[in-house]
């Protein structure tokens, strides 16, 4: 199983970006998918998660500015980021709670990370 993230880049304060993350490989089912971020010198933190049924959870710092969504048919999760601030600058990682088979246990998989830089 692989998670491939894309969509990062450089944007000015107040701008928008859309991140995508597609899961591929031997996938039986995907439970929760999410986005995390890690800024230089800081620990990785949760940004947003979405369950297989569409229940969303956001960090307080991004509520009202970021929207997480997913396309279950494409095994893809998205993060629409708006009103970006310099403090949103970080490497963004996608995550998936995935089963590779009916009798296989659920495992956490991570994408490779995509850099988001917000200039002031």
């Amino acid at each position: 199983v692989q998670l491939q993230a894309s969509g990062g880049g450089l944007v000015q304060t107040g701008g928008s970006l859309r991140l995508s993350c597609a899961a591929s490989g031997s996938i039986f089912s995907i439970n929760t998918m999410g986005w995390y971020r890690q800024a230089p010198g800081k620990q990785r933190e949760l940004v947003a998660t979405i369950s297989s049924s569409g229940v969303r959870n956001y960090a307080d710092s991004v509520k009202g500015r970021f929207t997480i969504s997913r396309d279950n048919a494409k095994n893809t999760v998205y993060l629409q980021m708006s009103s970006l601030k310099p403090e949103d600058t970080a490497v963004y990682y996608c995550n998936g709670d995935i089963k590779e088979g009916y009798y296989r246990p659920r495992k956490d998989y991570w994408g490779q990370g995509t850099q988001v830089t917000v200039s002031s």
Side-chain angles (χ1 to χ4, degrees), residues 15-77:
S16 299
L17 281 175
R18 187 191 194 211
L19 307 183
S20 300
C21 176
S24 61
S26 179
I27 296 172
F28 174 76
S29 64
I30 303 178
N31 188 18
T32 299
M33 302 187 80
W35 290 94
Y36 294 72
R37 67 186 181 187
Q38 188 167 18
K42 295 187 177 181
Q43 290 189 330
R44 190 173 298 189
E45 64 177 3
L46 179 146
V47 176
T49 62
I50 183 168
S51 73
S52 57
S53 60
V55 176
R56 296 169 171 84
N57 178 50
Y58 295 96
D60 288 343
S61 59
V62 307
K63 282 181 181 176
R65 301 188 297 120
F66 291 9
T67 301
I68 190 170
S69 61
R70 64 190 282 175
D71 185 331
N72 290 330
K74 296 181 178 180
N75 292 332
T76 299
V77 63

